[in-house]
Amino acid sequence: MSAVAEQTMDNVSDQIREMGKRAKAAYQDLGQAETAAKNKALLTAAARLRDGRDVIKAANEKDMAFGRDKGLSEAMLDRLLLDDARIDAMAAGLEAIAELKDPIGDVMAEWERPNGLKIARVRVPLGVIGIIYESRPNVTADAGALCLKSGNAAILRGGSESIHSSGAIVDCLRAGLKEAGINEDAIQMIPTRDRAAVGALLSLSNYVDVVVPRGGRGLIERVQREARMPVFSHLDGICHVYLDKAADAQKALDIAVNAKMRRTGICGAMETLLVDQAVAADLLPPVMDALIEQGCEIRGDEVVQGLDGRVIPAVEDDWGTEYLEPILSIKTVGGVDDAIDHINRYGSHHTDSIVTEDDPTAEIFLARVDSAIVIRNASTQFADGGEFGMGAEIGISTGRMHARGPVGTEQLTSFKYVVRGTGQTRP
Amino acid sequence: MSAVAEQTMDNVSDQIREMGKRAKAAYQDLGQAETAAKNKALLTAAARLRDGRDVIKAANEKDMAFGRDKGLSEAMLDRLLLDDARIDAMAAGLEAIAELKDPIGDVMAEWERPNGLKIARVRVPLGVIGIIYESRPNVTADAGALCLKSGNAAILRGGSESIHSSGAIVDCLRAGLKEAGINEDAIQMIPTRDRAAVGALLSLSNYVDVVVPRGGRGLIERVQREARMPVFSHLDGICHVYLDKAADAQKALDIAVNAKMRRTGICGAMETLLVDQAVAADLLPPVMDALIEQGCEIRGDEVVQGLDGRVIPAVEDDWGTEYLEPILSIKTVGGVDDAIDHINRYGSHHTDSIVTEDDPTAEIFLARVDSAIVIRNASTQFADGGEFGMGAEIGISTGRMHARGPVGTEQLTSFKYVVRGTGQTRP
């Protein structure tokens, strides 16, 4: 694949269109493939990853050299690196996806009409999925495998820094498809660093049914702006925890600290803590002590500032900011209605949690907060397909259409109505 | 409303944006409304339609006068006309929608994780729905009521010829909302004939979550091209019936004639008949006799022409044409694989039917024809939300995303994940 990876494209948009056509044709094959064939492809690909680790590491070394020349930060270089442990993890990921239930062919609902027509709603693949992502090469394996399992052809566009690594991984996936007798073009990688390829892919609405961008805000915004097909994405994860006046103090402490500090850089990390003003003086001091001790900066409103001299005044912009860092804004509110209004106004419809022992208050919050995931008495960091038991996810969507929340194999499907009759005509 | 209907808009796009804002605010109210309140609104609106029939007929007379001045055809004028029977039918439609199950709050799936988290996927409304339609004023009642029942705010844009009639109907719907204590702005009508209003609505992606166009090809194409939000639509209904070599001759005759001639102008009408060449000489003559006797023109390939001197030669364009008239193209094919290839290439992914007594052949066809509705041994004219038992439909979608096939109240919903914990934090 590295030969392909270094090729230049004379006419990028023509070549991307050709990839689209081949993907659509391959989908006709993969979309009809038996579960056993798809699993064989996945397991073969996993074996190829393990057996071909030297090839993959050599390809990765080219990317690392390119990254060092380009002056990537140590953190970025670490994201790019593939070592034995990470190759094994990718292979294990493919094996786990082989274990998942095949969603295709599932009868979602079934009923009979008075005239004897039997109607079934049956899951089918979406078609062709474009995935555009940044540096981590393991996304190549995860995304390709999720599409394969759900019967969708994939066109992958990884970060330009990881082009050789991704190419070597795609070779393994395609070898698996071939071994299973499935059209290899069901997984294709765009073999150029040319940025025009992204624009060409996003305009390919005849061949690409949905695009999933994974990466920073710049990438997501570009995709949302330019795509001529539906997009599964989330721009921000401005997640809230609301400490109600009926909150249990220990749960409030545990959940607030975990939601912020377990990992600060993920989309499910809490960015704003809301607290009922009636209990702020009781609940907040231990929470703030623990957070500050762990290196978190606190920005608060006047009430919060009054509780702790280390609190920095929050400004309006803080309520709409996704820090992705050990920084937290804290606001006191008049109660659950206020909290809901704040979340629906400033949040990003991703994941929001209430800590309360009061059932009616919890139900109001769960019903009226307009987010993909609403939680009672647990950390926002559970916002993850794996934690939801979906096996794996290709991303999280904050859109309301089709897929909402973690996007796993089921969310990568559509359906059709299958009607079985005995000669019925419509009167 | 007629005063409003005649107002001119100084700045259309500002005013449409204001309507969008009001719709979004009203959705917060309607989306949380109890089933009983929504049904009260619908039943009150039905009563207002019946009791206010004189007002409605007077408004309709203004539209009819406008239509006659504009030189509308008799058929168009008939579509526009509201008489007592049609007003009663609209009211009965609202009452039927009140009877439907409320989809909102439905628990679609529910499971518990090993850590004790209880996860439920719960139906919620989509948000704000824009509906753009042509002359028939009864769409105002149907579309408004379906949105209301499914908790979605609606912005209606009817045909310019029906603006007074639609305004009078919207008055009844809003009176119902008011009586039920729900924010009236949950149903709004664009009160101008200015065509710029459509463009303004289609650009309002911050406030309008989905657009449903209903009308001719010109309207659908414009909406698909300009909309900055998802669209539920079908451009064409190029529906096929395939007569397999194992078809029952009587079923073949009944289904082919019904699929073409019951109503030729609907999207579920058959436009192309495919037949296995091995049985063409047996099956086609009675089918063609019956069709020609009912006034249908037949365009066929050479084999078909050889069977009947009245057959006109079909050209390539015929295979991709939605006639919506008593015209049928007929093609002989080499078997079910050929038929599937033809349908996936020339069809519009709407509704396609196979007539066969052979189970394996039927299953191949049902699995591999890539259409929203695939049928065995029944007429394509069953492609309808009412016939599917969905109560009512706002349209039929040939898109693969979110809603596919008939779009009823369930298809006008999204979902959220509701997670109930007992203090869980993520390790």
Side-chain angles (χ1 to χ4, degrees):
Chain A
M1 193 70 176
S2 45
V4 179
E6 293 187 16
Q7 88 180 45
T8 56
M9 285 189 160
D10 285 338
N11 187 331
V12 170
S13 77
D14 283 354
Q15 296 199 40
I16 300 292
R17 189 176 314 113
E18 272 310 305
M19 292 180 69
K21 274 189 200 173
R22 287 201 301 273
K24 205 71 171 178
Y27 150 70
Q28 301 293 343
D29 189 32
L30 174 61
Q32 299 292 326
E34 301 285 337
T35 304
K38 294 189 284 188
N39 289 344
K40 182 177 183 181
L42 290 165
L43 296 175
T44 305
R48 294 284 176 120
L49 281 173
R50 293 188 205 273
D51 298 345
R53 64 181 70 233
D54 291 338
V55 177
I56 293 164
K57 284 190 286 189
N60 185 245
E61 185 40 50
K62 284 193 204 175
D63 288 335
M64 294 294 286
F66 175 84
R68 282 187 293 261
D69 283 354
K70 209 176 153 188
L72 291 188
S73 68
E74 279 307 309
M76 290 287 279
L77 286 170
D78 180 64
R79 286 160 62 99
L80 192 52
L81 179 70
L82 288 179
D83 55 17
D84 283 330
R86 288 184 180 177
I87 291 169
D88 285 332
M90 279 195 291
L94 299 194
E95 288 157 356
I97 290 170
E99 289 291 315
L100 292 179
K101 186 175 171 307
D102 186 349
I104 302 306
D106 232 29
V107 177
M108 304 163 73
E110 200 166 18
W111 62 96
E112 188 169 337
R113 298 290 301 151
N115 59 9
L117 286 180
K118 289 179 181 157
I119 302 181
R121 198 155 87 210
V122 178
R123 273 196 205 283
V124 299
L126 275 175
V128 177
I129 299 181
I131 300 125
I132 303 173
Y133 51 101
E134 290 173 342
S135 59
R136 285 181 203 274
N138 65 305
V139 174
T140 305
D142 286 358
L146 280 168
C147 289
L148 193 166
K149 182 77 184 210
S150 53
N152 295 289
I155 298 178
L156 304 167
R157 160 68 180 199
S160 61
E161 324 77 38
S162 65
I163 195 164
H164 296 98
S165 313
S166 291
I169 295 165
V170 164
D171 284 348
C172 297
L173 292 166
R174 288 170 62 100
L177 288 166
K178 190 174 181 188
E179 186 81 11
I182 300 170
N183 187 329
E184 287 171 275
D185 287 333
I187 299 181
Q188 298 178 80
M189 189 184 100
I190 294 179
T192 173
R193 292 196 173 103
D194 190 336
R195 283 172 59 88
V198 173
L201 182 64
L202 296 178
S203 70
L204 220 58
S205 58
N206 281 350
Y207 298 114
V208 179
D209 296 282
V210 60
V211 166
V212 183
R214 292 185 54 166
R217 198 181 167 94
L219 172 65
I220 312 283
E221 279 178 337
R222 180 184 176 190
V223 171
Q224 291 184 344
R225 195 173 54 239
E226 291 186 25
R228 300 300 299 152
M229 65 285 286
V231 177
F232 292 161
S233 64
H234 66 275
L235 198 56
D236 288 318
I238 303 177
C239 302
H240 300 77
V241 173
Y242 165 58
L243 306 180
D244 183 53
K245 65 174 186 291
D248 174 90
Q250 187 63 45
K251 288 177 188 164
L253 174 61
D254 293 346
I255 289 169
V257 173
N258 183 265
K260 181 70 230 177
M261 298 304 292
R262 174 185 162 272
R263 283 178 63 190
T264 56
I266 66 172
C267 60
M270 168 176 69
E271 304 294 2
T272 298
L273 179 66
L274 303 173
V275 57
D276 188 314
Q277 60 200 13
V279 290
D282 296 328
L283 294 180
L284 278 185
V287 170
M288 293 197 289
D289 282 346
L291 287 169
I292 291 169
E293 189 177 311
Q294 293 187 29
C296 186
E297 175 183 316
I298 309 276
R299 303 181 185 178
D301 66 15
E302 288 190 6
V303 176
V304 180
Q305 293 165 47
L307 294 172
D308 193 313
R310 297 168 294 182
V311 173
I312 295 166
V315 297
E316 174 70 13
D317 272 356
D318 280 301
W319 312 125
T321 296
E322 183 184 30
Y323 305 113
L324 295 173
E325 282 187 85
I327 302 173
L328 177 70
S329 56
I330 306 185
K331 188 169 196 280
T332 49
V333 295
V336 70
D337 289 336
D338 254 21
I340 292 166
D341 288 346
H342 180 97
I343 293 169
N344 286 342
R345 177 167 173 200
Y346 293 102
S348 60
H349 309 290
H350 191 294
T351 299
D352 301 287
S353 178
I354 182 173
V355 182
T356 187
E357 298 302 302
D358 185 63
D359 291 347
T361 303
E363 293 307 316
I364 289 170
F365 183 93
L366 297 173
R368 289 193 33 219
V369 168
D370 191 15
S371 296
I373 303 171
V374 289
I375 300 180
R376 177 185 184 183
N377 286 342
S379 169
T380 55
Q381 299 231 357
F382 284 111
D384 173 87
E387 291 296 323
F388 271 49
M390 291 160 60
E393 66 173 37
I394 203 165
I396 287 189
S397 169
T398 51
R400 307 177 74 78
M401 304 296 294
H402 195 89
R404 198 179 193 203
V407 181
T409 52
E410 269 193 15
Q411 287 71 35
L412 294 177
T413 64
S414 180
F415 56 83
K416 74 204 288 187
Y417 290 96
V418 176
V419 181
R420 293 183 171 88
T422 50
Q424 285 89 343
T425 56
R426 188 168 170 190
Chain B
M1 192 74 176
S2 45
V4 179
E6 293 187 19
Q7 90 180 41
T8 56
M9 284 191 161
D10 285 339
N11 186 330
V12 170
S13 77
D14 284 355
Q15 295 197 41
I16 300 292
R17 188 176 312 110
E18 273 310 305
M19 290 179 71
K21 273 189 204 176
R22 286 202 301 273
K24 205 72 172 173
Y27 151 70
Q28 302 293 343
D29 188 30
L30 174 60
Q32 300 292 327
E34 301 286 338
T35 305
K38 293 190 285 190
N39 289 344
K40 181 175 182 182
L42 289 165
L43 296 175
T44 305
R48 293 287 175 118
L49 280 173
R50 293 188 204 275
D51 298 346
R53 62 181 70 234
D54 291 339
V55 177
I56 293 165
K57 286 190 284 188
N60 184 245
E61 185 39 50
K62 285 193 202 173
D63 288 334
M64 294 294 286
F66 175 83
R68 282 187 292 261
D69 283 355
K70 210 177 152 190
L72 290 188
S73 68
E74 279 307 310
M76 291 287 281
L77 287 172
D78 180 63
R79 285 159 64 97
L80 191 53
L81 178 71
L82 289 178
D83 55 18
D84 282 330
R86 289 184 179 178
I87 292 169
D88 284 333
M90 279 195 290
L94 299 194
E95 287 156 357
I97 291 170
E99 289 292 315
L100 292 179
K101 184 174 172 306
D102 186 349
I104 301 308
D106 231 28
V107 177
M108 304 163 73
E110 196 164 24
W111 61 96
E112 187 166 339
R113 298 289 301 150
N115 61 9
L117 286 180
K118 288 180 181 155
I119 302 181
R121 198 156 87 213
V122 178
R123 273 195 205 282
V124 300
L126 274 176
V128 177
I129 299 180
I131 300 124
I132 304 174
Y133 51 100
E134 291 175 340
S135 59
R136 283 181 204 273
N138 66 306
V139 174
T140 305
D142 286 357
L146 279 169
C147 289
L148 193 166
K149 182 78 184 210
S150 53
N152 295 289
I155 299 178
L156 304 167
R157 160 69 182 198
S160 63
E161 323 76 38
S162 64
I163 196 164
H164 296 99
S165 313
S166 291
I169 295 165
V170 164
D171 283 348
C172 296
L173 292 166
R174 289 170 62 100
L177 287 166
K178 190 173 181 189
E179 186 80 13
I182 300 170
N183 187 329
E184 287 172 277
D185 286 332
I187 299 181
Q188 298 179 79
M189 189 185 101
I190 294 180
T192 172
R193 291 198 173 105
D194 190 336
R195 284 172 58 89
V198 173
L201 182 65
L202 295 177
S203 71
L204 220 59
S205 58
N206 281 351
Y207 298 114
V208 178
D209 295 282
V210 62
V211 166
V212 183
R214 292 185 55 164
R217 199 182 166 95
L219 172 66
I220 312 284
E221 280 179 336
R222 180 186 177 189
V223 170
Q224 290 184 346
R225 195 172 55 239
E226 291 185 25
R228 301 300 301 151
M229 65 286 284
V231 178
F232 293 161
S233 63
H234 67 275
L235 197 54
D236 287 319
I238 303 178
C239 302
H240 300 75
V241 173
Y242 165 58
L243 306 180
D244 182 53
K245 65 174 186 289
D248 175 271
Q250 187 63 46
K251 286 177 188 164
L253 173 63
D254 293 346
I255 289 169
V257 172
N258 184 265
K260 181 70 231 177
M261 298 304 294
R262 176 185 159 270
R263 281 178 64 189
T264 57
I266 66 171
C267 59
M270 168 176 67
E271 304 294 3
T272 298
L273 178 67
L274 302 172
V275 58
D276 189 314
Q277 59 199 13
V279 291
D282 296 330
L283 294 181
L284 278 186
V287 170
M288 292 197 291
D289 283 345
L291 288 169
I292 291 169
E293 187 175 313
Q294 292 187 30
C296 186
E297 173 182 318
I298 309 277
R299 303 182 185 178
D301 66 14
E302 289 191 6
V303 176
V304 180
Q305 292 166 45
L307 293 172
D308 193 314
R310 296 168 293 182
V311 173
I312 294 166
V315 296
E316 173 70 14
D317 272 358
D318 279 303
W319 312 124
T321 297
E322 183 183 30
Y323 304 112
L324 297 174
E325 282 187 84
I327 302 174
L328 177 69
S329 56
I330 306 186
K331 189 170 195 277
T332 49
V333 295
V336 69
D337 289 336
D338 254 21
I340 292 166
D341 289 347
H342 180 97
I343 292 169
N344 286 343
R345 178 167 171 201
Y346 293 101
S348 60
H349 309 291
H350 192 295
T351 299
D352 301 287
S353 177
I354 183 174
V355 182
T356 186
E357 297 303 303
D358 185 63
D359 291 348
T361 302
E363 292 308 316
I364 289 170
F365 183 93
L366 297 174
R368 292 193 32 222
V369 168
D370 193 15
S371 296
I373 303 171
V374 288
I375 300 180
R376 178 186 183 183
N377 286 342
S379 169
T380 56
Q381 299 231 359
F382 284 112
D384 173 87
E387 291 297 322
F388 271 48
M390 290 159 62
E393 66 174 35
I394 202 166
I396 287 190
S397 169
T398 52
R400 308 178 71 78
M401 305 295 295
H402 195 89
R404 199 179 192 203
V407 180
T409 52
E410 270 193 15
Q411 287 71 34
L412 294 177
T413 64
S414 180
F415 56 84
K416 73 204 288 188
Y417 290 97
V418 176
V419 181
R420 293 182 170 88
T422 51
Q424 286 87 341
T425 58
R426 187 167 169 191

